[in-house]
């Protein structure tokens, strides 16, 4: 089957998802056109004889001026549209994941549909965690999301919760939304099993719905030798939230280590090796956490809410589910549950968990699920 996969992302979770899906589709037998910027790090680049690779431009993520960043984004968008036009001569089936900004995506999808193409849209988050438009224009942004879902022939959600939200919030017909889970992330070298129970890692974009402030309050209340590493970049649309987190950290700074900004893959591997467990107390979250997958596949127990990793717990992921609604008290309760089990027992459970998840979330199997849907 000839398939085109399109993504604007090239690093971190969204980029790794696109690269893993491309590899899985090729291994499952697709004749694939993969449109995306070059992968970072380079060894994430998918490789198979059946992949035709059309590279677009990376966006600027350094401290370049606004005009420079805008020109880089315009170059990425332009090259992406040209690549889609080229791919249309070869493919009828198109998969979008992490697409361009909504107006561009709508135009591209509309043009493809008018040409007779079929579109599958991987919906990571049915509604954005933070809206791009001001509150007075939110109805328009929401309408554009709904239009993009209706332009697609098929929607893929990573979780049942995301599927339910698409159906309830956007009146999408249930038959048009299929659940295919997130594939397995791993680091180049498996870290050694944790030998203690004193270091937690909260990794990823810092947003209000990830309940980092409550996590900081819980770690402070727990006290003792417990330490929390916070690694990631604050959401630029929620600057006040990270300032509130900083104020909470300042009350007991010795329990916290902050690495704010982009975290490279080599540094993420080091942080994972230092951590005894990952902490993901997310709420108002309808996707499947790639961070939870990464933690489980690298031998770390996961302390997470059902919103962040409920489906992964069902698949056998080792960890503790944080009771909702999320608060400092419920996170503290999960910390006590984690501490009540020895590190050697957690190591045993994590080995079993990793084997189970590797089998179910292998990218080839994810690719097979996609091709079965397209057929």
């Amino acid at each position: 089957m000839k398939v085109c996969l399109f993504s604007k992302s090239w690093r971190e979770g969204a980029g790794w998802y696109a690269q893993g899906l491309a590899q899985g589709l090729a291994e499952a037998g697709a004749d694939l056109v993969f449109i995306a910027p070059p992968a970072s790090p380079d060894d994430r680049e998918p490789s198979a004889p059946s992949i035709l690779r059309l590279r677009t431009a990376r966006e600027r993520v350094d401290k370049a001026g606004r005009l420079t960043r805008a020109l880089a984004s315009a170059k990425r968008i332009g090259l992406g549209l040209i690549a889609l036009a080229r791919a249309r001569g070869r493919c009828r089936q198109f998969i979008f994941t992490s697409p361009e900004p909504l107006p561009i995506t709508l135009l591209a999808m509309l043009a493809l549909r008018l040409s007779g193409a079929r579109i599958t849209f991987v919906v990571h988050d049915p509604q954005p965690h933070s809206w791009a438009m001001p509150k007075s224009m939110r109805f328009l942004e929401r309408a554009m999301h709904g239009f993009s879902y209706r332009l697609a022939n098929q929607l893929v959600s990573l979780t049942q919760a995301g599927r339910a939200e698409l159906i309830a919030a956007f009146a999408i017909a249930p038959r048009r939304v299929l659940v295919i889970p997130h594939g397995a992330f791993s680091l180049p070298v498996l870290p050694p099993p944790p030998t203690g129970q004193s270091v937690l890692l909260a990794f990823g974009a810092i947003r209000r719905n990830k309940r980092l402030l409550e996590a900081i309050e819980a770690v402070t209340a727990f006290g003792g030798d417990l330490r929390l590493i916070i690694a990631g970049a604050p959401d630029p649309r929620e600057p006040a939230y990270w300032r509130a987190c900083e104020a909470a950290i300042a009350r007991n700074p010795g329990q916290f280590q902050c690495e704010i900004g982009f975290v490279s893959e080599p540094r993420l591997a080091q942080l994972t090796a230092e951590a005894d467990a990952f902490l993901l107390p997310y709420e108002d979250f309808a996707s499947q956490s790639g961070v939870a997958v990464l933690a489980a596949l690298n031998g770390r127990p996961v302390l997470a809410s059902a919103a962040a990793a409920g489906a992964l717990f069902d698949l056998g992921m080792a960890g503790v589910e944080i009771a909702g609604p999320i608060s400092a008290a419920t996170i503290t309760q999960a910390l006590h549950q984690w501490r009540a089990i020895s590190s050697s027992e957690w190591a045993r459970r994590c080995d079993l968990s990793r084997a189970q998840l590797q089998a179910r979330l292998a990218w080839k199997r994810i690719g097979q699920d996609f091709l079965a849907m397209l057929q």
Side-chain angles (χ1 to χ4, degrees), residues 7-209:
S7 173
K8 74 170 184 179
S9 299
W10 49 278
R11 66 173 191 171
E12 299 182 303
W16 297 350
Y17 176 87
Q19 294 144 17
L21 180 56
Q23 187 68 40
L25 286 166
E27 291 177 1
D31 184 1
L32 184 70
V33 178
F34 180 38
I35 302 172
S40 176
D42 294 343
D43 58 11
R44 291 276 180 187
E45 191 69 45
S47 176
S50 59
I51 297 177
L52 173 61
R53 188 68 167 90
L54 300 182
R55 292 174 174 81
T56 59
R58 291 175 176 173
E59 61 188 321
R60 293 293 294 267
V61 293
D62 54 15
K63 295 183 178 179
R66 182 176 297 179
L67 178 60
T68 301
R69 294 198 304 272
L71 289 173
S73 295
K75 181 179 180 181
R76 185 197 68 233
I77 291 169
L79 291 175
L81 293 175
I82 291 170
L84 281 170
R86 286 181 59 191
R88 181 62 188 97
R90 181 186 180 97
C91 304
R92 183 169 176 262
Q93 296 280 5
F94 285 75
I95 300 172
F96 281 76
T97 177
S98 302
E100 294 292 354
L102 272 172
I104 305 300
T105 295
L106 291 175
L107 289 173
M109 285 184 168
L110 183 59
L112 287 170
R113 285 300 305 272
L114 290 173
S115 76
R118 292 185 59 82
I119 297 172
T120 297
F121 191 178
V122 182
V123 183
H124 294 266
D125 301 295
Q127 301 190 72
H129 298 302
S130 53
W131 298 82
M133 293 184 176
K135 195 169 184 178
S136 60
M137 300 293 289
R138 194 161 295 171
F139 74 95
L140 178 58
E141 186 175 356
R142 192 176 184 283
M144 287 194 292
H145 279 287
F147 187 34
S148 70
Y149 301 153
R150 285 171 173 77
L151 273 176
N153 301 89
Q154 183 79 45
L155 302 177
V156 169
S157 172
L158 304 182
T159 65
Q160 289 292 346
R163 180 178 186 271
E165 187 171 346
L166 283 166
I167 294 167
F170 293 96
I172 304 298
R175 60 180 173 77
R176 295 185 55 234
V177 189
L178 185 69
V179 176
I180 300 178
H182 201 302
F185 281 161
S186 61
L187 296 169
V189 178
L190 185 69
T195 56
Q197 288 178 276
S198 60
V199 182
L200 295 162
L201 175 59
F203 168 69
I206 299 170
R207 296 191 299 262
R208 190 175 302 276
N209 73 313

Side-chain angles (χ1 to χ4, degrees), residues 223-234:
D225 62 346
L226 191 63
R227 186 163 60 91
L228 175 63
I229 301 173
I230 300 168

Side-chain angles (χ1 to χ4, degrees), residues 257-298:
Q257 173 185 331
C258 298
E259 300 199 10
I260 304 306
F262 171 68
V263 179
S264 68
E265 186 166 333
R267 183 55 184 150
L268 176 57
Q270 293 171 346
L271 291 173
T272 301
E274 291 175 25
D276 299 310
F278 277 59
L279 183 58
L280 291 79
Y282 303 173
E283 209 165 36
D284 300 325
F285 189 84
S287 187
Q288 182 173 297
S289 170
V291 176
V293 175
L294 182 142
L297 266 294
N298 288 280

Side-chain angles (χ1 to χ4, degrees), residues 311-323:
L312 294 172
F313 284 127
D314 292 341
L315 292 174
M317 184 178 73
V320 176
E321 185 171 323
I322 303 171

